[in-house]
Amino acid sequence: MRHLCLLLPLLFSIYACESLDTIGALVPPTVDQDRSLPSVAVNVAGRQRLIHVRTFGNPSNPPLFILHGSFTDTRPYRNICESLADKYHVVIWDQRGCGLSERITEEEFTLETAVEEINAMKNIYAPNQKVTLIGQSWGGGLATLYTSKHPEKVAQLLLIEPMPLTAQDMQQLFSTIVQFGYDNGSWNNFARHGQALSPRDHEQLDYRAMMILRSTMTASYHCDGNNPPEWPIHRVGGFLEYVRNQRLGNPLSGFTYNFTDGIQNYRDTVRILGGACSSLGYKMQLQYSKSHFPSAEVIEIQNAGHRMNMEKFDDVMRAIKSFLKAY
Amino acid sequence: MNSRFLILIALLGLPRLGYGQNPFGLLHDGHHIVSVGIHANPSLNANADYLFAFEQKDGTFQRFGLMTQANFPLFSQQGIDFDFRIGAGALVGIASNFKALMLLTWNFSRTADVNGQYFHTGLKIDVLPGYYGTNWAFAPHLSLSYQPFIHIEHSEYAKQAFQNLYPSGSGSFTAPKNGWFYQTHLMIQTGVSVAYFQSTWSLNLTAGFQHQPNRFGLLLFPDLGMLPFYGGLNFGYSVL
């Protein structure tokens, strides 16, 4: 009886607890988990997946796709979408595995399927038209890759601080972009997070990945690295980030990608925006990215880092609109 | 109640800083052993331990001990974290100099980061079967940590992820959930341990590989602080 009394509180505790795998316990649901979120179905890599998508502006306007960066989703770009909605039909979506889009398996993500995904979205929203592409960071690299593969499908290309566009560029720049180190408090916090929450499943990994947006590991992206600008997101796709890293390579065994193979077939001028503060900013873009394109111009956004549309929105929109033909 | 017992109770109440373990105090001649150390698993922690070791005996169960440990995370970003452990250890004789140190600890831990605050509790078992000579010990280190219960209080930052989720402005999911949860949180460590000891002090080094089982088979993801290594250095001294 005495033992039973000791066991009862324990059994009650277990009963009262909820599983950490409960949808919405840590991160928002994805579109397959909450069908009231806006989505479209696409067939990519032989699998049908639901994509979280938002559109802005009149569908009869010229189509414009915005491709988001890594460790993020579409949410921080909505200010750009709304600003361009008067002249364009802006389509922005959480790339497969990211944000509120359905999670995917490792086999479903390659650089080829990332291009296939843009084609799938184009088939839905702009089947018979060229599309204007704006991409930031990883999205800038992806926009460049898409344009390299399908120059005939791209009306205009604008890149906001694209990541290094080739493996060689990345190898040279990696140490200036990312800082690991025990004295870096945020990295230690990442490591210690695992003592409390195991990266057992997607939700736990996504929750952990969200921390990176407030970490100092990417301090060189910002004017004040210890206080990065706000960058609101719904969900960082932790597993997708892992898979993407696998596909791109790493500084030890080497990077293995080239987004610019074929870009010489795209003859129009590409505009690149670079912040004055960022390690991926104006100077880097001028020195590394510009030369990959037959014709490119680099615009500096003063007092801005990698999150320039949050920091200097008006300046960014001036730089975007002065390039886009509809304005 | 004698004074020794009071000292024991007081020392067991000390907070323990870190995630290390130092059952090697059971190899000392003394009864009251304190130790300090530094551990990476892979987050960096300092630890302070107290071990009360009972009388040595011949036979299979050669010595028992009660211990408490406090771990203190280094380079913490969000307030004061702690990891307090209590447990029991034993030195088991198997054959001549082939023995095994075993340790079972129960932890109460508080961890905080930009996503929230977590209070978690669970068990850890360490086994070190190997050679225990006059002054040296060499043993593989095997451990399993299980943290099934966690209380989460999300930060404003984590809550913001749920804002503006629905174009209509309303929906089923409005915030992450605070409260107690159960989880399958396992940490497996396999390594080697080397110790040099005298009658009143010991120094031990443990290092190896660790893995948290997950559905993806992830071992290494440095971007998110996941490295499959752990290591620690401990110095123990018998005060009485």
Side-chain angles (χ1 to χ4, degrees), chain A residues 121-140:
Chain A
M121 294 301 283
K122 187 176 179 304
N123 288 340
I124 297 171
Y125 291 101
N128 302 310
Q129 294 170 279
K130 285 187 171 186
V131 65
T132 295
L133 292 178
I134 295 178
Q136 189 250 2
S137 198
W138 148 258

Side-chain angles (χ1 to χ4, degrees), chain A residues 4 41 49 93-94 113-114 123 149-150 175 188 217 246 255 273 279 289 311 326:
Chain A
L4 187 64
R49 294 294 189 184
W93 69 94
D94 291 331
T113 62
N123 288 340
K149 302 300 176 196
H150 301 288
S175 63
N188 207 46
M217 284 162 59
Q246 297 293 105
F255 293 95
L273 310 188
S279 58
S289 301
E311 294 175 288

Side-chain angles (χ1 to χ4, degrees), chain B residues 61-159:
Chain B
F61 295 99
Q62 297 181 352
R63 208 170 194 198
F64 285 101
L66 297 173
M67 72 178 301
T68 180
Q69 185 185 52
N71 292 295
F72 182 76
L74 302 176
F75 307 121
S76 182
Q77 230 184 4
Q78 304 282 329
I80 299 169
D81 289 355
F82 64 83
D83 175 75
F84 173 69
R85 287 166 191 252
I86 55 173
L91 178 65
V92 179
I94 299 168
S96 183
N97 287 329
F98 184 59
K99 302 176 183 180
L101 275 173
M102 292 190 284
L103 182 66
L104 178 67
T105 53
W106 184 11
N107 72 286
F108 305 90
S109 312
R110 186 259 190 194
T111 306
D113 50 45
V114 295
N115 284 354
Q117 295 182 52
Y118 324 107
F119 180 79
H120 47 106
T121 184
L123 297 168
K124 184 171 187 253
I125 185 163
D126 296 276
V127 182
L128 297 111
Y131 169 82
Y132 291 80
T134 311
N135 296 115
W136 288 94
F138 304 94
H141 172 232
L142 309 166
S143 92
L144 177 68
S145 169
Y146 179 49
Q147 303 280 307
F149 299 110
I150 183 168
H151 183 273
I152 301 178
E153 188 179 330
H154 295 279
S155 68
E156 286 304 312
Y157 175 59
K159 291 174 186 170

